[in-house]
Amino acid sequence: MSRPGHPYIGWSGSGFGPRILGLNPWIHDFAAFNLWARPVGLLACLGMLRSAGASVALMDCLDPTWEGERWPRPGKYGTGHYPKMELELPEALGFAERRYSRYGLPVERVREALEALDPAPDAVLVTTVMTYWYPGALELLDLAAELWPSAVRVLGGAYATLCGDHAAAHADAGLIVSGSLEEPGNWGRLWSALGRAAPEAPEDAGLGLALDLYHEPGYAPVLGSRGCPFSCEYCASRVLHPGFRQGGPESVFGSIRAEYDRGVRDFAFYDDALLVGPERWLWPVLDRIGAEGMELRLHTPNAMHVRRLTPEVCARLREAGLTTVRLGLETTDFDHRRDVKLTRAEWEAGARNLTDAGFDLDDVGVYILFGLPGQDLAGVERAVAHVRSYGFRPHLAHYTPIPGSPLFAEAAEASPYPIAAEPLFQNNSLWPCVPGGFNWDEAKRWKALLHGE
Ligand code: B12
Ligand code: SF4
């Protein structure tokens, strides 16, 4: 349990293997909102390392680790705002007339908690969720170097994988890992950096999450699969995880049950392709939730595939407790889509099935892509009106140019910023591929449109 005023991070594991500390950095950005955020990649790493014999601990700079910290305005179902501290704009973003902040726990408290960690770690694992959030990771690597100079510092996650050259030039890390830790090459390299022979990676490596490292979890992520069988041109899923792998229902349910027994009632799916092959794990898990009479709320902040929303699927999801629904519509210009992911008829059927299943329309958000290279924004306006006409909430998914995605070269051509050389320019808050970039008047106009004003 956390105690008032006392930071709490402790070791969990056999006590015989190496001590490995996972660090989830602060977010450095123009804005940030907690939508059931967890560093799931890092939690998967700590889970597999503990199963392989290591002792692990976690400092998540985006979670209130101890009581007595002021954590602003809680939102719906466990979401919310982060505390923030305004920072000077990084040099590259000096032109932006906007506030830039470090979101998460105060730096002094993090330092205090890390200083109190006894015994010291043999290795620290720093993750990165978004490429353009790398400044927080570099800051933590520096702090780790100061506190434990002899510990091995390892950097991984999206920035390390998608911007490897930039990371190699800027990060003070002994090891930079591209891709999943459980890949045999990466697994071997980590253990050899620790000066040990690599044990066998556990069977559920990459899917088993060390969720128990949160002492007072208000919500929990659910991960039943890795990767995606599709390859949309704006997405980097294939680079991050080539192939599509699903876990078994037993372990996914076990992880939900364990968190439920600790009082968690809000669960967010982190899968890329939740509704692909649901008979493999999703249906058995939802059936079990029903059979055991568990009353919980499920959320899909990461959009679901609309074409898979048959009446049966919608009814099953609703019955199991799906509450916050996000759908990937992208555009209503169906005849000129850059892919064939969704036809007009499929969209209309999916929307109707969802409504018929009785979801609260207020909890159904529909993502519309905004700011693709060369995109006609009049089409986005039409899509907003179309979504509103169904009673759903339109959300603009601001296009993020991601290195390694098929569209990245075109984005780099279209953007006035050097998005390939400097990941800070990959931040979708800059509207990096919209002519003229972000502009307050336009932002206000879009906000009004989204609210139907
Ligand atoms: C769930 C998810 C979300 C959730 C929650 C994210 C969170 N944690 O806060 C929600 C829906 C909120 C979200 C939102 C967004 N997301 Co998102 N999201 C994801 C998703 C689908 C899964 C991430 C995940 O947890 N995967 C599962 C874990 C197990 O895999 P992993 O993180 O890769 O971890 C493995 C390795 O990387 C490695 N590893 C990880 N850390 C470490 C550390 C060390 C030391 C080592 C050695 C190894 C290692 O080993 C791990 C285990 O195998 C990814 C896509 C994807 N497939 O990764 C996109 C993704 C991360 N999101 C992306 C984007 C663009 C966004 C949005 C900007 C979307 C938008 N346009 O509005 C927003 C902005 C988020 C914000 N401002 O908060 C992009 C990233 C772009 C970038 N530049 O980095 C991704 C890659 C999707 C894409 N389009 O390609 N997202
Ligand atoms: S956008 Fe979604 S469906 Fe398309 S490749 Fe990425 S994860 Fe798969």
Side-chain angles (χ1 to χ4, degrees):
M1 294 293 287
S2 65
R3 291 158 292 160
H6 289 270
Y8 184 94
I9 340 174
W11 293 109
S12 155
S14 65
F16 298 112
R19 287 182 303 277
I20 300 180
L21 170 66
L23 297 173
N24 184 36
W26 302 276
I27 294 173
H28 289 216
D29 209 330
F30 298 105
F33 185 77
N34 176 7
L35 261 187
W36 305 286
R38 285 286 188 244
V40 166
L42 181 64
L43 297 175
C45 293
L46 297 177
M48 66 182 101
L49 287 164
R50 185 170 55 185
S51 298
S55 286
V56 299
L58 171 72
M59 162 52 81
D60 181 347
C61 297
L62 301 180
D63 194 69
T65 310
W66 48 84
E67 290 171 22
E69 263 319 312
R70 219 174 68 83
W71 209 256
R73 296 176 285 151
K76 225 173 167 184
Y77 308 138
T79 63
H81 293 266
Y82 297 108
K84 63 175 174 177
M85 174 163 177
E86 197 171 334
L87 299 174
E88 263 184 45
L89 283 163
E91 208 180 313
L93 303 180
F95 61 89
E97 292 173 354
R98 301 168 74 181
R99 293 191 177 163
Y100 192 79
S101 302
R102 181 196 294 109
Y103 292 84
L105 294 166
V107 176
E108 324 72 68
R109 300 304 309 277
V110 170
R111 168 187 276 276
E112 189 188 319
L114 294 179
E115 277 171 350
L117 184 63
D118 183 32
D122 299 310
V124 292
L125 261 55
V126 178
T127 192
T128 47
V129 173
M130 296 287 145
T131 55
Y132 48 85
W133 289 349
Y134 75 82
L138 302 191
E139 215 178 336
L140 266 186
L141 283 168
D142 290 345
L143 180 58
E146 185 196 323
L147 295 178
W148 312 291
S150 57
V152 182
R153 291 183 298 284
V154 190
L155 178 70
Y159 167 62
T161 304
L162 304 173
C163 305
D165 291 345
H166 192 274
H170 294 87
D172 181 9
L175 184 60
I176 296 177
V177 172
S178 174
S180 298
L181 174 60
E182 66 274 22
E183 278 170 30
N186 289 338
W187 184 248
R189 280 203 298 147
L190 175 69
W191 286 92
S192 104
L194 287 164
R196 309 214 178 201
E200 197 142 317
E203 212 182 300
D204 70 344
L207 287 167
L209 312 179
L211 297 176
D212 56 296
L213 297 177
Y214 289 92
H215 293 272
E216 289 174 6
Y219 58 87
V222 180
L223 184 70
S225 61
R226 296 288 303 280
C228 177
F230 307 110
S231 58
C232 302
E233 51 179 0
Y234 56 82
C235 178
S237 176
R238 288 250 157 158
V239 192
L240 289 165
H241 194 275
F244 179 52
R245 172 184 163 218
Q246 293 177 295
E250 285 303 322
S251 53
V252 182
F253 178 76
S255 153
I256 296 176
R257 180 80 233 189
E259 291 307 293
Y260 185 85
D261 290 343
R262 297 205 299 151
V264 175
R265 292 295 177 268
D266 288 286
F267 293 84
F269 288 104
Y270 268 52
D271 300 77
D272 272 330
L274 181 67
L275 298 180
V276 173
E279 56 290 338
R280 169 93 176 104
W281 68 272
L282 183 62
W283 295 156
V285 166
L286 298 191
D287 289 347
R288 203 59 200 276
I289 288 173
E292 300 206 5
M294 293 160 71
E295 291 194 4
L296 40 75
R297 287 176 295 266
L298 302 170
H299 310 283
T300 58
N302 206 22
M304 291 188 294
H305 293 127
V306 180
R307 63 161 34 152
R308 291 178 187 263
L309 293 174
T310 61
E312 191 222 349
V313 166
C314 293
R316 279 185 106 147
L317 292 172
R318 170 115 173 95
E319 204 184 314
L322 181 62
T323 304
T324 308
V325 182
R326 292 288 177 269
L327 306 176
L329 168 63
E330 300 176 9
T331 174
T332 45
D333 194 359
F334 294 98
D335 300 333
H336 299 99
R337 275 187 80 105
R338 300 167 79 119
D339 56 45
V340 287
K341 214 160 71 176
L342 187 67
T343 64
R344 182 184 299 277
E346 287 168 339
W347 155 252
E348 286 170 354
R352 195 176 50 245
N353 297 337
L354 210 56
T355 314
D356 291 349
F359 283 95
D360 182 345
L361 293 191
D362 240 21
D363 285 329
V364 180
V366 180
Y367 290 128
I368 298 164
L369 265 171
F370 171 99
L372 290 162
Q375 188 180 24
D376 171 14
L377 295 182
V380 180
E381 268 189 67
R382 285 195 295 276
V384 168
H386 177 85
V387 167
R388 288 188 56 80
S389 74
Y390 278 80
F392 301 145
R393 283 177 181 260
H395 290 261
L396 295 186
H398 290 102
Y399 169 62
T400 306
I402 312 174
S405 61
L407 198 56
F408 191 69
E410 197 179 322
E413 281 275 301
S415 180
Y417 309 120
I419 58 172
E422 175 48 73
L424 290 174
F425 294 120
Q426 293 159 19
N427 189 333
N428 64 359
S429 299
L430 294 170
W431 302 6
C433 297
V434 175
F438 174 85
N439 140 359
W440 278 113
D441 291 335
E442 274 298 293
K444 280 185 201 137
R445 192 175 76 79
W446 281 103
K447 199 170 168 194
L449 276 171
L450 290 174
H451 289 95
E453 291 157 14

